[in-house]
């Protein structure tokens, strides 16, 4: 009898313990709540970003055109100079002596020519009276022709000597910013070696040189041929510049040159854009990044930046598939436009991309899509475009 009561008490305790265990079991966590945008292809600007270097629109190397000794520097280094402004003075004494000698030779040749002309004038009357032979007359005509040729030669030598004397004053061939002087007073300069004196650069407008890989150019040409990309005329390609400090240059440039050949050493094609530079903010040799507006993509895809995870391997997003199950998707990223990534590959129309609540999302696990008021949903959709 006592044993039966003990067994009943043990059974009751076991039931109570099992019930307690059942109460302690926690329920499964609910699916994480996320917000999504639906991919809708639309026309978007095709922006290509490339590194580039700034180049002066015109550069003139000022070199010696005569031999001599530099007497004076006539400009301030690093200042603006005008076309024709005197920059250097070369000792002119040797060129002056050469000019005087050439002028003396010209005077002698002119005197000889005048004498030959008088002889021929006298011979004109004598040959009519047959007082001289035809041979003597022909010789007089030849002497006059030779004397006149000597005059022309001497006159050319005078002009050459005068030019050399003018080159003793070295003048600026163009207007612009003069660089550092490469010679000092007392330096011997040579015309045959083309001694560099200084450099002048025009930077009121500026060139930016950059290059595009042949594979990217091939992809662009294929997109154009396939109708995916609409390209304007070459002179209408707008270009923006991102400066070294990350700011955007406030002037818009345009592509003015595209090389039709590929550099064998680098596998790239050269491009060049021209920019106004009224405040001379851009300087030759400066590093910039160019954003080229290369047409419009008819069916482009934009995804908010917060939806994209970027790693060294590339970009990825979470896409909600059938039965609201999350799927990790690798995407090919283009540039950034208005706070959104341009997706070049990996997404298609109708895909639902997670833009909020990414922390709790796991591949292959279901999620719960948050419902947004109609106006809010419209705003989010507009923000993704």
């Amino acid at each position: 009898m006592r044993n039966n009561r003990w067994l009943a008490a043990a059974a009751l305790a076991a039931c109570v313990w099992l019930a307690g265990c059942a109460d302690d079991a926690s329920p499964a966590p609910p699916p994480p709540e996320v917000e999504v945008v639906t991919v809708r292809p639309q026309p978007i600007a095709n922006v290509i970003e490339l590194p580039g270097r700034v180049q002066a629109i015109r550069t003139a190397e000022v070199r010696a055109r005569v031999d001599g000794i530099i007497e004076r520097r006539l400009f301030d280094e690093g200042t603006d100079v005008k076309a024709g402004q005197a920059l250097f003075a070369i000792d002119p004494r040797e060129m002056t002596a050469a000019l005087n000698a050439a002028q003396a030779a010209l005077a002698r040749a002119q005197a000889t020519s005048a004498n030959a002309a008088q002889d021929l004038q006298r011979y004109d009357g004598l040959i009519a009276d047959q007082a001289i032979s035809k041979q003597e007359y022909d010789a007089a005509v030849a002497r006059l022709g030779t004397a006149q040729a000597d005059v022309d030669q001497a006159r050319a030598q005078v002009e050459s000597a005068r030019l050399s004397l003018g080159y003793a004053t070295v003048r600026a061939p163009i207007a612009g910013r003069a660089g550092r002087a490469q010679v000092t007073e007392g330096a011997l300069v040579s015309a045959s070696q083309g001694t560099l004196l200084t450099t002048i650069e025009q930077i009121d407008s500026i060139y930016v040189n950059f290059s595009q890989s042949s594979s990217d150019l091939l992809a662009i040409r294929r997109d154009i041929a396939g109708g995916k990309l609409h390209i304007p005329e070459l002179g209408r390609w707008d270009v923006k510049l991102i400066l070294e400090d990350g700011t955007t240059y406030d002037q818009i440039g345009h592509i003015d040159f595209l090389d039709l050949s590929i550099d064998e050493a680098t596998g790239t094609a050269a491009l060049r854009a021209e920019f106004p530079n009224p405040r001379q903010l851009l300087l030759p040799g400066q590093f910039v990044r160019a954003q080229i507006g290369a047409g419009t993509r008819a069916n482009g895809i934009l995804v908010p930046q917060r939806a994209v995870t970027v790693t060294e391997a590339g970009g990825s997003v979470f896409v909600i598939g059938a039965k609201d199950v999350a799927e990790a998707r690798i995407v090919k990223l283009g540039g950034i436009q208005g706070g959104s990534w341009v997706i070049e590959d990996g997404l298609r129309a109708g895909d639902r991309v997670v833009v909020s609540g990414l922390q709790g999302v796991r591949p292959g696990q279901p999620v719960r899509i948050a419902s947004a008021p109609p106006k809010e949903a419209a705003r989010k959709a507009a923000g993704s475009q």
Side-chain angles (χ1 to χ4, degrees):
M1 194 66 177
R2 184 176 299 175
N3 291 337
N4 291 339
R5 286 198 299 269
W6 183 84
L7 291 173
L12 180 59
C15 292
V16 172
W17 180 80
L18 290 174
C21 290
D23 291 339
D24 291 340
S26 59
E33 184 178 82
V34 298
E35 295 181 6
V36 300
V37 294
T38 302
V39 172
R40 295 185 179 88
Q42 59 183 307
I44 62 172
N46 181 48
V47 179
I48 301 173
E49 185 167 327
L50 298 171
R53 288 282 180 183
V54 177
Q55 173 191 350
I57 196 168
R58 293 180 69 190
T59 301
E61 293 182 342
V62 181
R63 296 182 179 273
R65 303 182 70 173
V66 292
D67 299 337
I69 302 296
I70 296 292
E71 285 189 332
R72 298 187 309 278
R73 173 170 56 83
L74 306 175
F75 73 102
D76 293 327
E77 298 169 301
T79 61
D80 291 332
V81 297
K82 298 179 180 179
Q85 178 178 334
L87 303 179
F88 294 91
I90 299 175
D91 185 356
R93 289 176 295 177
E94 185 174 349
M95 281 79 78
T96 301
L99 176 59
N100 292 335
Q103 288 175 333
L106 174 61
R108 183 171 56 252
Q110 288 173 333
T112 302
S113 176
N115 185 51
Q118 291 174 355
D119 288 344
L120 183 61
Q121 186 177 7
R122 286 192 297 269
Y123 284 1
D124 284 339
L126 296 175
I127 192 65
D129 297 337
Q130 295 183 348
I132 60 173
S133 66
K134 184 69 167 58
Q135 183 179 4
E136 289 177 323
Y137 181 81
D138 291 342
V141 172
R143 284 195 299 272
L144 178 58
T146 301
Q148 290 175 338
D150 290 342
V151 169
D152 293 338
Q153 181 180 11
R155 186 175 288 112
Q157 290 174 345
V158 169
E159 184 63 25
S160 177
R162 185 175 287 112
L163 283 174
S164 295
L165 181 59
Y167 293 151
T169 300
V170 182
R171 300 184 180 276
I174 62 173
R177 178 69 57 84
R180 180 181 300 174
Q182 301 298 314
V183 295
T184 59
E185 290 81 353
L188 174 64
V189 296
S190 170
S192 60
Q193 296 179 359
T195 305
L196 178 64
L197 306 181
T198 189
T199 302
I200 300 174
E201 295 178 322
Q202 286 186 350
I203 57 175
D204 290 337
S205 292
I206 210 79
Y207 284 140
V208 175
N209 296 307
F210 40 91
S211 57
Q212 178 77 317
S213 69
S214 58
S215 60
D216 289 342
L217 286 176
L218 181 60
I220 290 175
R221 294 177 62 183
R222 285 175 175 171
D223 288 345
I224 294 172
K228 298 179 180 179
L229 185 60
H230 303 287
I231 294 292
E233 297 180 6
L234 180 61
R236 298 181 180 177
W237 288 25
D238 292 343
V239 184
K240 296 181 181 180
L241 288 185
I242 307 300
L243 304 181
E244 293 171 303
D245 59 359
T247 60
T248 301
Y249 185 54
D250 60 359
Q251 300 287 334
I252 302 296
H254 298 86
I255 296 290
D256 74 331
F257 171 76
L258 170 61
D259 199 346
L260 298 179
S261 61
I262 302 298
D263 189 313
E264 296 180 0
T266 62
T268 59
L271 296 93
R272 187 182 68 194
E274 182 177 348
F275 286 83
N277 193 28
R279 300 190 305 279
Q280 298 185 350
L281 181 63
L282 299 177
L283 300 176
Q286 187 174 351
F287 175 81
V288 293
R289 295 196 65 83
Q291 294 181 341
I292 307 168
T296 303
R297 291 194 175 275
N299 295 305
I301 293 177
L302 294 176
V303 170
Q305 283 184 269
R306 64 181 184 276
V308 181
T309 301
V310 181
T311 63
E312 294 181 357
S316 64
V317 297
F318 277 109
V319 177
I320 306 304
K323 299 182 180 179
D324 292 343
V325 174
E327 169 194 351
R329 185 84 59 84
I330 302 298
V331 293
K332 182 180 179 182
L333 300 177
I336 295 178
Q337 295 187 22
S340 296
W341 279 106
V342 176
I343 305 300
E344 297 182 353
D345 192 20
L347 293 177
R348 56 184 179 272
D351 283 343
R352 296 180 296 172
V353 179
V354 177
V355 296
S356 179
L358 290 167
Q359 296 82 357
V361 179
R362 298 293 181 269
Q365 297 296 322
V367 298
R368 182 167 58 88
I369 299 175
S371 58
K375 292 184 179 180
E376 181 68 13
R379 186 188 64 81
K380 292 181 179 296
S384 67
Q385 302 301 318

